[in-house]
Amino acid sequence: MSTSIGQNNFENQLEDMVRSFVQEKLETVMKEEMNQFFEENPELKNYKNGSYGRQLDTKYGRIEDLQVPRDRDNAFQTEMFQPYQRYEQWLGETIVTMYHKGMSTREIGNFLEHILGHAYAPGTISNITDVVMEDIRAWQERLLQKRYAV
């Protein structure tokens, strides 16, 4: 029994190490993006203005305090994610795929809680699927071929 507790503790430590490594690399890439932005736009009379913290759900779990660099005029935008985006694109694609397969929003929420360690409300999942509802309807109403190769 003590082996499983130790094993669980080790897994948590390993997950924390991976998340902190991912956070460190994301922050490094964003800082380099900002430096490159100012090199490409020397005409801008703009200054760096520190950073702001935000959370981001990744394949490796939730990063709670990701430091995103900013400038005074808000001209810089990272290419890593869109403004106000709280999860990577893979998450939206995964939710839509599970929805295509017939999983309910509550089942999807339980699955994501197991993977990310954070629960999404069924309403949030429904909002994510509403964004691509036209694609889902087109896929559901597509014409089927008479024969399919097996």
Side-chain angles (χ1 to χ4, degrees), residues 105 109 118-126:
T105 55
H118 168 73
Y120 279 96
T124 302
I125 294 169
S126 181

Side-chain angles (χ1 to χ4, degrees), residues 1-120:
M1 202 182 242
S2 63
T3 306
S4 68
I5 292 173
Q7 182 72 18
N8 193 16
N9 190 24
F10 175 71
E11 289 174 0
N12 289 339
Q13 289 177 352
L14 188 60
E15 288 174 2
D16 290 342
M17 286 174 45
V18 169
R19 266 194 304 276
S20 65
F21 178 78
V22 169
Q23 179 176 354
E24 179 184 323
K25 296 309 165 200
L26 287 173
E27 290 172 353
T28 301
V29 168
M30 287 186 289
K31 286 177 186 175
E32 187 57 37
E33 278 183 336
M34 180 172 245
N35 291 337
Q36 188 67 31
F37 175 76
F38 283 122
E39 286 177 16
E40 292 174 357
N41 301 299
E43 72 278 358
L44 291 177
K45 301 291 184 206
N46 204 347
Y47 301 98
K48 295 178 182 178
N49 192 22
S51 61
Y52 64 94
R54 64 176 296 170
Q55 67 184 20
L56 182 69
D57 287 336
T58 68
K59 295 177 186 178
Y60 309 103
R62 174 171 279 189
I63 297 175
E64 289 293 338
D65 191 30
L66 182 66
Q67 294 299 310
V68 180
R70 63 181 171 196
D71 61 315
R72 292 183 190 256
D73 293 338
N74 203 23
F76 169 74
Q77 174 57 47
T78 181
E79 297 295 322
M80 304 286 292
F81 43 80
Q82 298 298 318
Y84 308 109
Q85 181 179 348
R86 297 293 180 234
Y87 55 87
E88 289 182 334
Q89 187 166 348
W90 73 270
L91 184 61
E93 292 170 358
T94 302
I95 290 172
V96 169
T97 301
M98 289 188 288
Y99 191 76
H100 275 296
K101 303 276 185 191
M103 289 180 74
S104 71
T105 55
R106 294 191 191 282
E107 291 171 332
I108 294 170
N110 291 336
F111 174 76
L112 293 177
E113 181 176 10
H114 179 71
I115 296 295
L116 295 174
H118 168 73
Y120 279 96

